[in-house]
Amino acid sequence: MNTKFLIWITGALLGIGCGYSQESDLVKYVNTLQGTDSEWALSYGNTYPTVGLPFGVHFFSAQTGKNGDGWKYRYQDNTIRGLQQVHQCSPWMNDYAVFSLMPGVGNLIVDEEARALPFHHSNEIAKPNYYAVKFDNGIKAEISPVERGGHMRFSFPKKEKAHLIVDGFLKDSEIKIIPHERKIIGYVNNGRFVPENFRNYFVLVFNQDFKAHGTWQNTNGEIRAGNTYDAGKGIGAYLEFKSGAKVEVKLASSYISPAQAELNLEQELTGNKDFEVTQNKAFAIWNKLLNRVVVEGGTEEEKATFYSCLFRANLFSRKFYEIDATGKPYYYSPYDGAVHDGYMYTDNGFWDTFRAQFPLSNILHEEMQGRYMQSLLGAQRQAGFFPTWSNPGMSGVMIGNHAISLLTDAWVKGIRTFDADSALTAYYHEATNKGFWGGSNGREGWEDYFTKGYIPYGDIHESTAKTLEYAYDDFCAYQLAKLTGNTFYENVFARQMYNYKNVFDQNVNFVRGRLADGNWLPDFDPVEWGGPFTEANAWQYTWSVLHDINGLIDLIGGEESFNTKLDSFFTMEQTIKYGSYKQEIHEMREMLLAKMGQYAHGNQPTQHVAYLYNYSGQPWKSQKQVRLVMSNLYNATERGYPGDEDQGQMSSWYVLSALGIYSVCPGTDEYVIGSPLFEKATITLENGKRFVIQATNNSAENVYIQSAHLNGKLYDKNFIKYEDIMNGGELKFVMGETPKMNRGVSKEARPFSLSKLN
């Protein structure tokens, strides 16, 4: 062999090897079926096998449930009835702007029940960039995404008629079939929280001629052979192709106009000559993102759990903007039904995600977060109130006014793309008015909250939980006002942020319901769910004072009493009283399955509690408890979560905790330290810098921090600042199997709290 050629090929192979080592295949670890073995009565995630790009406008999913069923895909089902374009962020909210495609062979069958095809999970591939299923009858269906559409391929067996059904789902739809262009255009308008003029315009372009075509109606099953246009409730289309065809369809959608749908197709799919190009591009996008957090050590199962969670942590909030012909972003507003310039994001319940998903995104996606904060103020101008749970428009579901947490957390961390005074003025309006769209649109009971210092139990359900959530939100407003020199709003919220004290009864050592006359709600039982609390009880909500743990420690009776109570919380008997729910709800059942006392990780109010020992002089207990939660309650399988995954919140909890940090109090610049799961994690930041978390001697037994060094200097604190992460560097731990009881115990080592300990 020529020596020069040998040197060249060796160098080329080394170059390939170096490139591969820099960006390994991490998509292989992701299982998008994680959490899909769920139902109304028990959630192991309440997810579906999402195919989509990070924060994409549209996703796709196989559909096993009926049209309109929030549980669109259940792992235990054995038939698929459609491959949907989806936008669902929770089964409890349901979906919107949905339509589906479904292949079939033989005689034309359009009914969703009758057309459903059996399949086995062994013939299914579920990855972020690619979903494929081979049905028992031999048809193979494949999906890969782009940001505003997708690419599907259907491979039909020979010697049978090949059909493809387009289902217009619920409510009104319009279909126009253009055979000579191999195209279908139209719109659907389904959704609960949408303006009157809401439409999802779509365009589907096929690579095969149609042998036959027509329209049909899913409300009565009527088929209109040869028809090329129809409109009305539940209108769909059908196509027939030659036997044995391998049909590719490129599809794109727009909320703005049919012309924009065509432009989206041109911008994102026209250059993709075949399905593999789309699949490979989507792989590259996901793999680049996953490689921004490279973990080393740990088991293959732990890596699968980590990267499956990192995938879900980067799906919501969904982009809701499109790009015009000049390259500028603009969007149809789900709040006022008009078209505006700029960015918009949606599909998120902030009661869930302010706790971990947004703090994680502030590390990984500074630019997007800056745009997001602008979009929050845009939504407020268009709707009159901040969104609390958008889907895609205003719903007012769940409790609290947590948009201010997002805005303050961004500002504190240097993401200052919005006007702080405008944000505070909007929040003041939020906190002193009640809107029309649900309990959390504005503030229920705001007059009593400002005058009495709490929300009385009675006409307003979940009053104590709301008092606690509002007190935290008011702290965020106070923090933003103080940081920006707005003394008016600083003074307004300086008193309100301590209102949590007004629902704490020191006689029983818990928060509890309080009546309008100042008396406590009688017959108190800390294990009783509902009533003054949201999907929880007094044991769980007592810890919800995110901004003032020192104040809570004092209320409970000091550090010793606080730690004893925390110990009991994780180990006590798992007694449940149904309370106002009158029956078992899925959150109760999930708490029992966790077998960790009254700790209910499947619901948000307790997800920070394992970290609270950092505030009370026993940080080693947080280290142990966090590792127990990660190892016992998470995995990468269809039963991978201990409750609703909730738009990336539960996944973000795992990702941050596996890195060894967590955001107990968003709205501050601190992440509290837990116990890193991996021997090494390298985070590549948008600014090009890298932050490395090293855990020497780490193992399943060695969960306790023996020492820590930040950039080579001894580090005794139980928290790390955002700036330290974003500047790059190394946080190095030495781990051991026994607690280091003299590390991180000083007052200076403890994380932020509004009050000083007495």
Side-chain angles (χ1 to χ4, degrees):
M1 181 181 286
N2 183 287
T3 304
K4 289 182 179 179
F5 177 75
L6 181 61
I7 293 171
W8 177 86
I9 194 69
T10 303
L13 289 171
L14 285 171
I16 292 171
C18 291
Y20 181 81
S21 67
Q22 291 171 358
E23 194 165 286
S24 302
D25 177 3
L26 299 179
V27 174
K28 69 181 181 181
Y29 286 112
V30 179
N31 176 23
T32 67
L33 294 174
Q34 183 189 27
T36 58
D37 189 5
S38 299
E39 56 188 358
W40 183 89
L42 178 60
S43 173
Y44 284 106
N46 268 336
T47 60
Y48 49 87
T50 310
V51 189
L53 295 188
F55 311 106
V57 179
H58 307 295
F59 298 152
F60 297 87
S61 174
Q63 172 197 0
T64 67
K66 293 181 180 180
N67 284 356
D69 187 348
W71 284 262
K72 62 173 67 267
Y73 180 102
R74 300 190 316 158
Y75 190 85
Q76 57 268 46
D77 293 339
N78 57 17
T79 63
I80 289 172
R81 65 184 70 203
L83 300 162
Q84 292 184 337
Q85 184 183 89
V86 302
H87 310 91
Q88 182 169 291
C89 57
S90 167
W92 308 104
M93 300 292 282
N94 217 299
D95 211 340
Y96 66 90
V98 185
F99 61 89
S100 68
L101 279 68
M102 185 64 192
V105 293
N107 295 328
L108 176 65
I109 303 173
V110 294
D111 176 77
E112 63 166 312
E113 296 277 2
R115 74 180 185 231
L117 297 178
F119 77 106
H120 291 80
H121 292 298
S122 58
N123 293 322
E124 193 177 29
I125 300 172
K127 295 294 177 185
N129 67 307
Y130 178 65
Y131 176 86
V133 60
K134 187 171 184 180
F135 296 104
D136 292 356
N137 68 359
I139 298 175
K140 185 177 182 180
E142 301 167 276
I143 314 170
S144 281
V146 293
E147 200 154 74
R148 294 170 182 85
H151 203 152
M152 296 188 185
R153 182 164 62 191
F154 302 95
S155 302
F156 294 94
K158 296 179 180 179
K159 299 180 181 179
E160 290 191 82
K161 289 183 178 180
H163 296 292
L164 193 63
I165 309 300
V166 180
D167 193 327
F169 204 63
L170 309 175
K171 295 176 68 173
D172 292 337
S173 56
E174 180 184 75
I175 292 284
K176 184 177 181 181
I177 304 171
I178 312 172
H180 66 279
E181 295 184 32
R182 299 174 172 175
K183 182 186 289 188
I184 296 177
I185 60 175
Y187 71 79
V188 293
N189 79 341
N190 47 77
R192 292 165 60 195
F193 306 106
V194 294
E196 287 293 325
N197 66 343
F198 176 76
R199 289 181 175 181
N200 179 25
Y201 300 97
F202 58 80
V203 53
L204 287 71
V205 178
F206 298 83
N207 72 338
Q208 303 271 328
D209 291 333
F210 309 155
K211 282 189 65 178
H213 60 268
T215 62
W216 67 287
Q217 190 172 20
N218 66 24
T219 56
N220 58 19
E222 180 185 356
I223 295 173
R224 298 172 183 174
N227 203 25
T228 58
Y229 176 83
D230 213 338
K233 187 176 181 181
I235 295 297
Y238 72 87
L239 304 173
E240 183 184 343
F241 300 95
K242 64 183 180 181
S243 298
K246 184 173 285 190
V247 179
E248 292 194 15
V249 53
K250 297 176 180 178
L251 59 100
S253 298
S254 168
Y255 299 116
I256 296 172
S257 68
Q260 183 63 44
E262 295 273 7
L263 183 58
N264 290 342
L265 186 82
E266 179 183 336
Q267 290 172 334
E268 300 188 17
L269 279 161
T270 298
N272 296 1
K273 67 176 183 177
D274 56 30
F275 181 85
E276 278 75 17
V277 173
T278 306
Q279 180 184 353
N280 291 336
K281 284 183 177 179
F283 172 88
I285 290 169
W286 272 112
N287 205 47
K288 183 178 180 180
L289 174 54
L290 297 177
N291 269 272
R292 290 190 55 203
V293 188
V294 176
V295 296
E296 301 174 48
T299 66
E300 291 296 284
E301 290 78 8
E302 287 168 339
K303 288 178 181 176
T305 304
F306 181 84
Y307 285 110
S308 295
C309 286
L310 186 58
F311 157 71
R312 292 216 171 266
N314 286 279
L315 291 177
F316 299 103
S317 297
R318 183 194 310 286
K319 296 172 183 175
F320 209 75
Y321 62 88
E322 303 176 51
I323 307 299
D324 70 13
T326 68
K328 294 181 180 178
Y330 72 139
Y331 61 91
Y332 165 89
S333 170
Y335 302 105
D336 68 1
V339 176
H340 302 267
D341 292 332
Y343 298 98
M344 180 54 65
Y345 297 81
T346 190
D347 292 334
N348 205 310
F350 298 153
W351 184 76
D352 303 307
T353 54
F354 85 85
R355 305 164 195 269
Q357 200 267 341
F358 279 90
L360 175 61
S361 284
N362 281 336
I363 294 173
L364 295 179
H365 307 293
E366 283 185 285
E367 182 181 56
M368 183 188 75
Q369 291 294 85
R371 294 171 176 174
Y372 199 113
M373 299 310 120
Q374 294 172 335
S375 80
L376 273 179
L377 288 170
Q380 196 276 340
R381 288 191 296 270
Q382 293 151 25
F385 291 88
F386 283 120
T388 53
W389 192 330
S390 52
N391 190 53
M394 195 72 75
S395 73
V397 172
M398 296 310 293
I399 66 172
N401 305 119
H402 297 311
I404 192 64
S405 172
L406 275 52
L407 290 158
T408 302
D409 198 48
W411 190 276
V412 167
K413 290 166 180 170
I415 301 170
R416 299 177 178 178
T417 56
F418 59 95
D419 183 74
D421 288 345
S422 297
L424 287 164
T425 300
Y427 178 70
Y428 180 74
H429 174 263
E430 190 92 3
T432 56
N433 285 278
K434 176 67 189 74
F436 303 106
W437 302 284
S440 62
N441 181 231
R443 181 170 283 184
E444 280 191 314
W446 67 269
E447 300 99 329
D448 282 329
Y449 177 81
F450 272 90
T451 56
K452 288 182 168 61
Y454 65 96
I455 299 175
Y457 183 77
D459 293 338
I460 297 176
H461 193 54
E462 305 171 323
S463 57
T464 300
K466 288 172 181 173
T467 300
L468 293 168
E469 304 276 355
Y470 295 160
Y472 162 74
D473 290 332
D474 288 352
F475 157 76
C476 290
Y478 164 84
Q479 180 90 323
L480 182 58
K482 185 177 181 181
L483 288 167
T484 56
N486 192 322
T487 55
F488 175 77
Y489 287 120
E490 181 182 348
N491 291 331
V492 166
F493 296 109
R495 179 169 64 93
Q496 314 304 327
M497 61 187 177
Y498 291 104
N499 279 352
Y500 71 89
K501 296 182 179 182
N502 298 325
V503 290
F504 188 93
D505 181 1
Q506 289 183 297
N507 292 316
V508 298
N509 223 16
F510 288 97
V511 295
R512 61 184 293 193
R514 194 169 187 181
L515 301 173
D517 62 6
N519 290 316
W520 299 107
L521 183 66
D523 303 320
F524 173 73
D525 191 330
V527 299
E528 183 176 307
W529 286 56
F533 303 107
T534 303
E535 300 171 358
N537 61 27
W539 260 113
Q540 290 143 15
Y541 250 107
T542 291
W543 314 104
S544 288
V545 187
L546 311 180
H547 58 296
D548 196 14
I549 302 301
N550 286 349
L552 181 62
I553 291 172
D554 285 338
L555 285 175
I556 288 174
E559 287 184 7
E560 185 176 348
S561 296
F562 183 85
N563 288 327
T564 299
K565 194 177 188 75
L566 262 183
D567 293 344
S568 297
F569 179 64
F570 288 108
T571 58
M572 67 182 291
E573 188 177 333
Q574 291 190 291
T575 304
I576 285 177
K577 290 188 176 179
Y578 297 154
S580 62
Y581 291 108
K582 297 184 174 16
Q583 62 179 346
E584 182 183 81
I585 61 174
H586 74 92
E587 289 88 352
M588 298 174 188
R589 191 173 175 195
E590 289 143 20
M591 187 198 86
L592 295 175
L593 289 172
K595 297 179 180 176
M596 299 182 76
Q598 289 291 321
Y599 179 69
H601 189 82
N603 212 23
Q604 277 65 31
T606 65
Q607 288 179 357
H608 68 291
V609 180
Y611 286 90
L612 295 188
Y613 292 106
N614 283 292
Y615 297 76
S616 57
Q618 296 184 343
W620 60 88
K621 289 185 178 178
S622 283
Q623 294 154 26
K624 175 185 176 181
Q625 205 64 49
V626 168
R627 289 287 283 268
L628 282 173
V629 175
M630 283 190 281
S631 61
N632 292 351
L633 303 187
Y634 285 83
N635 59 67
T637 75
E638 63 276 6
R639 294 189 171 190
Y641 297 101
D644 288 349
E645 198 280 327
D646 286 327
Q647 310 103 58
Q649 164 58 25
M650 195 172 284
S651 290
S652 297
W653 186 98
Y654 185 89
V655 170
L656 286 171
S657 295
L659 294 175
I661 58 177
Y662 187 70
S663 52
V664 170
C665 185
T668 69
D669 63 349
E670 294 179 2
Y671 293 81
V672 178
I673 291 173
S675 176
L677 181 63
F678 297 97
E679 293 170 17
K680 185 179 181 182
T682 303
I683 306 169
T684 301
L685 305 163
E686 276 188 354
N687 60 18
K689 297 177 181 179
R690 291 184 176 182
F691 187 73
V692 179
I693 300 168
Q694 186 98 32
T696 304
N697 299 331
N698 205 359
S699 69
E701 296 74 33
N702 294 354
V703 303
Y704 298 106
I705 297 171
Q706 307 298 298
S707 66
H709 287 78
L710 179 61
N711 299 327
K713 296 181 179 179
L714 188 66
Y715 195 75
D716 192 52
K717 293 181 172 61
N718 297 331
F719 62 89
I720 185 169
K721 289 185 176 290
Y722 176 81
E723 183 181 26
D724 290 326
I725 297 172
M726 303 310 287
N727 285 339
E730 182 181 57
L731 179 60
K732 187 171 183 179
F733 298 106
V734 175
M735 310 299 290
E737 63 179 350
T738 57
K740 187 76 170 179
M741 295 185 181
N742 61 351
R743 188 203 164 272
V745 297
S746 69
K747 297 292 191 293
E748 295 73 26
R750 301 179 188 189
F752 169 87
S753 180
L754 197 57
S755 302
K756 292 183 178 179
L757 277 175
N758 290 330

